[in-house]
């Protein structure tokens, strides 16, 4: 299939850090359709050759295994083109249109990897020069707005100039092989479905822990915070994947319809439940791998006395027949004790114990998302032969390591998502109504925090967050997975 991929923000951070390496991997794997052009667009005055050299020089800093050989770069570089544009000028879009009309590719992808404030303007300008035809797909990165209203305003503009199926809203977590495996586990196996309900499951915990701080993004992050940066999108998408009903088929809309229902069923907040069930934190100086690291307020770009949260832990419920009363806990933060994203499904203990087990021992399914990718099923077994009337059981686990099993066959999140956009597959992208529903649900928390003088609770960098997060879950009689 012939394609033209236009990369707005072609000299920017995202293009460089994520998109070019992913496009190169697809090229190396032979999955990037032949006969494509990658047209980088930016304000700098560069020739095609200069842009290619720039990209080649940046690849020199990449892991050897992911770096192109000179011969590979010569072939990959031939796909790269450069167009200087001022994104506020309609005549510059006309030049882009002329360049695209030369070929009339079967798939035209507009990847808007610019500052979010330019998203709607770029889409309107694309439409103004007639580039919004049925072969055009527009890719937008988060953040799409900073609250429900601004998100709706963006979506309204998009709807005026594009059809919903032309808009590819990226949540890169959906492109991770481990997250796709979560759906494969649930809907490709008959084993789990009968157990996947309130009668058997006591609680579910979703953790996305990061070891890094805000790095160079202090100014952006300070306006954003963990709730908007991670919970509204990545964590809620994971919650949807774990909690949704089986879709009627694997089409994008069938999957999105089911995810939407989960978001619509999330228990509404009250002032009281936000106070009790939502914990926000902010890291103070501490240690990561033995080295001292600064606190959030000392990071570059962060406003003095900022109350932006770098950690959120919360408890919610999906109010439907399958899940009523089952707590779902979400926890995410920066500068935590490790980089670890996983979901723990805690099953209920047996109804009538005839063996001795340690208090509260029950089956547990751990879905490791990153850096490990696989499943751990914790079961009870009897070790050495015992003479007691009521023998004691020990925990054993079945461990599936997907990296080991599928290692070289796996593709990275951006590689997968870019190939999907080119092919027009929407399954792993977020529909506007899902996104709006997610904003609708987090908005009362944002409002509550605005009026809450207490601010975030401090936690030491390199810890698992404020102790209040453990106290919150302990009130239900449970604990986080690392405390088991
Ligand atoms: C991004 C957030 O969406 O996801 C970042 O803006 C965060 O703050 C990143 O670090 C985490 O992604 P990953 O793939 O490293 O878990």
């Amino acid at each position: 299939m012939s394609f033209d991929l236009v990369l707005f923000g072609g000299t920017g951070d995202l293009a460089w850090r994520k998109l070019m390496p992913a496009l190169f991997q697809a090229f190396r794997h032979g999955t990037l359709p032949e006969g494509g052009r990658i047209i980088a667009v930016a304000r700098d005055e560069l020739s095609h050759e200069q842009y290619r050299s720039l990209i080649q020089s940046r690849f020199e800093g990449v892991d050897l295994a992911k770096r192109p050989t000179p011969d590979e770069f010569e072939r990959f570089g031939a796909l790269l083109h450069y167009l200087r544009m001022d994104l506020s000028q309609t005549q510059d879009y006309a030049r882009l249109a002329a360049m695209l009309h030369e070929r009339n590719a079967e798939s035209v992808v507009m990847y808007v990897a610019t500052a979010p404030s330019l998203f709607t303007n770029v889409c309107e300008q694309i439409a103004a020069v007639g580039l919004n035809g049925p072969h055009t797909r527009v890719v937008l990165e988060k953040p799409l707005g900073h609250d429900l209203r601004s998100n709706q305003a963006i979506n309204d503009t998009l709807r005026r100039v594009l059809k919903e199926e032309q808009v590819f809203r990226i949540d890169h977590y959906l492109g991770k092989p481990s997250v796709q495996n979560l759906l494969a586990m649930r809907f490709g196996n008959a084993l789990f479905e009968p157990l996947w309900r309130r009668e058997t499951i006591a609680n579910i915990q979703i953790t996305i822990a990061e070891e890094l701080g805000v790095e160079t993004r202090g100014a952006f992050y300070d306006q954003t915070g963990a709730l908007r940066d991670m919970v509204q999108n990545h964590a809620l998408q994971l919650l949807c994947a774990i909690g949704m009903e089986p879709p009627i088929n694997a089409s994008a809309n069938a999957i999105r319809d089911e995810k939407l229902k989960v978001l619509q069923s999330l228990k509404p907040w009250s002032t009281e439940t936000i106070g009790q069930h939502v914990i926000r934190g902010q890291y103070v100086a501490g240690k990561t791998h033995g080295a001292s690291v600064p606190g959030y307020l000392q990071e570059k770009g962060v406003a003095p006395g900022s109350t932006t949260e770098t950690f959120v832990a919360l408890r919610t419920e999906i109010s439907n027949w399958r899940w009523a009363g089952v707590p779902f806990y979400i926890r995410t933060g920066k500068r935590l004790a490790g980089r670890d994203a996983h979901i723990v499904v805690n099953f209920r203990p047996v109804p009538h114990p005839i063996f001795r087990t340690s208090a509260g021992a029950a089956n547990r399914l751990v879905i490791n998302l990153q850096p490990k990718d696989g499943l751990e099923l914790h079961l009870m077994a009897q070790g050495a032969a015992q003479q007691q009337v009521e023998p004691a059981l020990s925990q054993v686990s079945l461990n599936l390591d997907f990296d080991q099993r599928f290692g070289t066959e796996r593709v990275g999140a951006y590689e997968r998502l870019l190939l999907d956009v080119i092919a027009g597959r929407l399954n792993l992208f977020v529909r506007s109504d899902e996104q709006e529903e997610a904003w609708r649900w987090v908005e009362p928390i944002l409002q509550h925090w605005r009026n809450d003088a207490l601010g975030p609770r401090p936690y030491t960098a390199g810890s698992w967050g404020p102790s209040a997060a453990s106290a919150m879950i302990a009130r239900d009689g449970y604990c986080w997975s690392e405390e088991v």
Side-chain angles (χ1 to χ4, degrees):
M1 176 206 303
S2 63
F3 73 90
D4 273 335
L5 193 158
V6 182
L7 203 51
F8 293 96
T11 52
D13 195 51
L14 180 71
W16 165 244
R17 274 188 316 112
K18 301 280 188 195
L19 307 180
M20 278 299 163
L23 286 164
F24 170 66
Q25 286 309 315
F27 172 80
R28 178 180 262 179
H29 294 148
T31 45
L32 194 64
E34 284 184 14
R37 286 191 300 187
I38 298 165
I39 305 169
V41 164
R43 281 187 86 123
D44 315 61
E45 199 65 69
L46 293 174
S47 65
H48 299 311
E49 268 319 314
Q50 282 170 324
Y51 184 72
R52 286 174 195 142
S53 309
L54 183 77
I55 295 300
Q56 187 167 25
S57 65
R58 304 212 66 170
F59 266 116
E60 278 158 25
V62 165
D63 264 6
L64 205 53
K66 300 204 161 161
R67 198 185 300 168
T69 62
D71 171 56
E72 276 177 323
F73 192 80
E74 202 174 314
R75 287 182 290 122
F76 176 67
L79 308 182
L80 304 181
H81 300 259
Y82 184 79
L83 182 68
R84 199 202 89 82
M85 273 179 73
D86 176 343
L87 296 184
S88 62
Q89 298 300 317
T90 309
Q91 69 267 24
D92 285 11
Y93 290 85
R95 287 197 297 118
L96 173 66
M99 187 170 177
L100 295 175
H101 287 147
E102 276 166 21
R103 285 182 79 232
N104 271 333
E106 289 159 270
S107 170
V108 177
V109 176
M110 307 278 186
Y111 202 120
V112 194
T114 63
S117 54
L118 297 174
F119 288 175
T120 46
N121 184 258
V122 170
C123 294
E124 283 170 328
Q125 296 270 26
I126 289 170
V129 296
L131 280 178
N132 56 343
H135 298 303
T136 297
R137 286 140 196 171
V138 174
V139 188
L140 296 168
E141 280 281 337
K142 73 182 244 299
L144 237 63
H146 57 274
D147 57 12
L148 177 62
R149 258 219 353 229
S150 51
N151 178 255
Q152 282 174 329
I154 295 174
N155 283 333
D156 287 346
T157 308
L158 295 176
R159 260 177 231 124
R160 275 200 297 278
V161 293
L162 295 160
K163 297 210 162 65
E164 177 67 40
E165 57 275 18
Q166 290 179 281
V167 185
F168 289 67
R169 294 176 191 79
I170 285 215
D171 183 311
H172 78 281
Y173 265 62
L174 296 182
K176 290 182 190 273
S178 53
V179 176
Q180 286 154 46
N181 244 316
L182 176 54
L183 297 182
M185 180 199 85
R186 285 200 56 202
F187 306 126
N189 297 284
L191 199 61
F192 297 104
E193 173 52 24
L195 304 177
W196 220 250
R197 56 196 65 250
R198 63 194 300 281
E199 289 79 6
T200 357
I201 292 179
N203 68 83
I204 292 185
Q205 303 177 9
I206 298 172
T207 296
I208 312 178
E210 295 189 86
E211 221 169 41
L212 294 176
V214 292
E215 305 294 290
T216 53
R217 298 160 73 228
F220 158 78
Y221 194 87
D222 207 35
Q223 301 296 317
T224 310
L227 190 71
R228 290 186 174 99
D229 190 44
M230 297 295 286
V231 176
Q232 187 273 343
N233 34 74
H234 307 322
L236 284 185
Q237 285 291 331
L238 293 180
L239 179 96
C240 287
I242 201 93
M244 70 200 252
E245 295 299 315
I248 53 167
N249 57 39
S251 71
N253 274 337
I255 295 173
R256 291 154 150 212
D257 287 347
E258 295 307 334
K259 286 197 291 172
L260 178 65
K261 284 190 214 158
V262 172
L263 294 165
Q264 288 169 332
S265 322
L266 289 177
K267 201 165 176 179
W269 296 109
S270 65
T271 312
E272 203 186 7
T273 55
I274 295 177
Q276 284 174 0
H277 295 155
V278 186
I279 309 294
R280 59 173 162 160
Q282 188 186 77
Y283 61 86
V284 298
K287 286 200 158 66
T288 295
H289 297 293
S292 300
V293 292
Y296 178 69
L297 292 179
Q298 286 84 54
E299 301 275 17
K300 206 165 154 248
V302 171
S306 164
T307 56
T308 298
E309 78 289 355
T310 60
F311 173 96
V312 176
L314 59 83
R315 174 201 195 280
T316 185
E317 286 176 29
I318 301 175
S319 304
N320 63 14
W321 273 47
R322 184 186 290 270
W323 293 119
V326 176
F328 283 74
Y329 303 100
I330 289 177
R331 177 178 58 155
T332 184
K334 298 216 178 266
R335 282 276 184 243
L336 295 182
R339 176 171 181 258
D340 185 5
H342 63 260
I343 302 174
V344 180
V345 180
N346 283 310
F347 291 91
R348 294 188 189 281
V350 293
H352 173 64
I354 60 167
F355 299 108
R356 268 192 303 130
T357 51
S358 52
N363 299 135
R364 198 154 45 98
L365 176 68
V366 181
I367 303 161
N368 286 313
L369 303 172
Q370 72 181 24
K372 281 194 286 182
D373 177 2
L375 295 179
E376 290 167 31
L377 183 58
H378 296 264
L379 304 166
M380 297 298 161
Q382 191 163 311
Q386 294 173 31
Q387 304 303 320
Q388 296 101 319
V389 184
E390 201 188 315
L393 299 186
S394 335
Q395 293 229 15
V396 290
S397 70
L398 267 171
N399 239 316
L400 293 179
D401 181 336
F402 292 156
D403 278 326
Q404 204 173 44
R405 168 66 180 79
F406 300 113
T408 53
E409 299 159 35
R410 319 206 86 190
V411 297
Y414 272 94
E415 181 180 348
R416 168 70 200 259
L417 294 174
L418 281 161
L419 291 172
D420 280 359
V421 184
I422 293 171
R425 286 188 293 265
L426 276 159
N427 297 33
L428 301 179
F429 296 84
V430 183
R431 206 167 56 190
S432 59
D433 50 4
E434 285 178 70
Q435 209 173 44
E436 286 175 21
E437 204 54 51
W439 275 117
R440 193 167 285 122
W441 185 73
V442 298
E443 194 143 274
I445 306 175
L446 293 169
Q447 260 162 25
H448 183 94
W449 285 349
R450 267 197 291 275
N451 305 322
D452 173 16
L454 272 178
R457 295 165 196 264
Y459 64 96
T460 310
S463 70
W464 280 105
S467 54
S470 301
M472 184 259 291
I473 189 168
R475 281 200 295 275
D476 290 343
Y478 305 127
C479 58
W480 295 106
S481 48
E482 78 280 356
E483 296 165 348
V484 173

